[in-house]
Amino acid sequence: MKYILSNANVFMQDKFVKTNVFINNGKITDISSNVPEKGSVVFDLEGCFVFPGLIDVHTHLREPGFFYKETIRTGTQAAAHGGYTTICAMPNLDPVPDCAETLSPQLDIIQKDACIEVLPYGAITKSERGTQLADFDALAPHVCAFSDDGRGVQNDEMMLQAMYKIGKLDKIVAAHCEVNELLKGGYIHDGAYCAAHGHKGICSESEWKQIARDLELVRKTGCKYHVCHISTKEGVALIRQAKKEGLPVSCETGPHYLVLTDMDLQEDGRFKMNPPLRSKEDQQALIDGILDGTIEMIATDHAPHTAEDKGKGLAHSMMGIVGLETAFPILYTHLVKTGRLTLEKLIALMHTNPSARFGIGTPLAVGSPANLTVYNLDEKYVIDPETFLSMGKSTPFIGWEVYGKCKMTMYHGNIVWQEK
C-alpha cells in the first residue's frame, strides 16, 4: 500500500519542516514537497505534526500470567493509541523470563498478537527472587536488557556478578532501586501528606541508597547501567555525578512524577504507584535533571490492574497506574505549552534518546520503516479512561484537560491506530 502524509509538520533532524511523507511497502521512500502521486492514499495533515514512533522502555503487558489485567494485544493497541511503535516489556510475569524456556511463551504471544514492536526484558535473577542469576547467555539474543523490575536486587554480590556477566554480553542492567529493609510497610512518600493522613511512608533513602550501591558496582564492572523510574532528588544528584565521572549510566522518570507531587494525593488507589509521588523538591530536581541531560528519557511504567485491585484506597490498592495513552498529551500540555520544554526536547525524551541508549526503534527518515505517529497538538479534550484501549483504567489524570490528540499511528507502514 502506498500512502502520502501531506502538508504535515514533520520531525526531521531535530526540527520540524512542513512537507510530505511518502510511504510504499512499509518504508518511507521520500520526504519532500513533491506532488502526491496517483494511486496513493493521501492524508491531508494540514496543522498536524508527524513524529517518529514513540519509544517506551518501561511497560508492563502482564502476559503471560496475568492476562486478566492486560494482554499483549490490548497493551500494544493502547500503545499505538498513544503514539508508540516500540515498547519494552518488563519481566514480572508468570513464568518469569529467566531462561530460554520461560521466555518462549512471551515471544510466541508477541509474534501472534502484538500490533507494534515489543521487546522483552530478561530477568536478572531466577523468578526475580534474588537468589540465583538468570541464564543471561540464552536470553541475551532475544531481550532488550535485563531487569528484576518490581524488586530491587538486595544482595550486593549477586548484583556484582550480574553486572560482570551482563556487561560481557554488552547489555544494559535496568535496575528497580529499592532497599527492602527501609520500606517498613510504607506505600506512599514519607512526606507531609503521609503525616497528615496517618499513612505509612516510603522514605527517599530506600531508592537512592540502592542507586549509590549500584554505582559503586558500575565503577568496578563498567557495565551499562540504567535506573528505572527515578523519583528522588538524591537519586538525580547521584546519576549526575556518575555521568560527570564518565560512567556508562542512564535513567528514566515517569510523566506522573513531573506533573504531580505527594500533596496532590487523594484517598484513591489511582494515585498509588511505586516509586510513590514525591515532594515538590523532588519534582523540581527531576525537571532540572531533564533540562541538563541527567535524565535522558521519560517512560510510562504502564502498570495495569483490575478495578478491584485498584479500588481499595491508598493503603490497600495495588501499586501501579496506566500511562501509555496519556503520557504524551500530559507532558505536552504541562511541560511544552507552559514553556518548560521545547517540543523537540520532548521528542528526544520519548524517542531519540531511548532509541540511542537501548539501540531500538527507527528514525523518521528515508529508507527506514514507516514507524511514526500523527498528532494534532491544538486539539483539546478531557482524559476519560473509558476511551482507553488498555484493560487498565486507573490513572490520576481522570478529568484533566489536555492538548495533543493522536490521530494516527503507523508501524511498518500499517495503520495500527487511526481516530475514527
Side-chain angles (χ1 to χ4, degrees), residues 6 32 59 62 71 104 119 143 151 163 171 231 245 252 297 299 323 326 334 347 357 359 367 408:
S6 70
S32 72
T59 61
R62 304 300 192 204
T71 66
S104 181
L119 302 171
V143 301
R151 302 175 182 178
M163 285 190 181
K171 288 286 185 176
S231 69
E245 293 176 36
E252 71 193 46
M297 60 195 86
T326 59
H334 292 275
I347 300 304
R357 176 60 168 161
M408 180 193 296

Side-chain angles (χ1 to χ4, degrees), residues 11 120 160 210 254 312 329 333 351:
F11 187 77
L160 178 66
Q210 194 160 95
K312 301 174 183 178
T333 302
H351 168 80

Side-chain angles (χ1 to χ4, degrees), residues 133 167 222 332 352 361:
L133 294 178
Y332 176 74
T352 313

Side-chain angles (χ1 to χ4, degrees), residues 91-102:
N92 47 347
L93 302 168
D94 185 12
V96 171
D98 54 18
C99 64
E101 181 181 1
T102 52

Side-chain angles (χ1 to χ4, degrees), residues 17 61 131 172 322 359 368 380 391 394 398:
V17 177
L61 295 183
T131 56
I172 292 172
V322 294
S368 291
K380 183 170 64 172
M391 291 168 63
S394 186
I398 293 174

Side-chain angles (χ1 to χ4, degrees), residues 157-214:
E157 182 62 26
M158 185 72 59
M159 191 59 148
L160 178 66
Q161 292 306 315
M163 285 190 181
Y164 272 128
K165 292 176 182 292
I166 293 169
K168 289 179 180 178
L169 295 167
D170 198 31
K171 288 286 185 176
I172 292 172
V173 170
H176 175 112
C177 292
E178 193 168 52
V179 179
N180 289 351
E181 65 182 19
L182 296 176
L183 297 178
K184 300 177 181 177
Y187 46 85
I188 64 171
H189 177 60
D190 189 13
Y193 185 94
C194 181
H197 293 80
H199 289 293
K200 293 181 179 179
I202 299 175
C203 65
S204 296
E205 187 181 8
S206 64
E207 175 180 285
W208 65 257
K209 188 172 182 180
Q210 194 160 95
I211 294 174
R213 190 266 327 247
D214 285 354

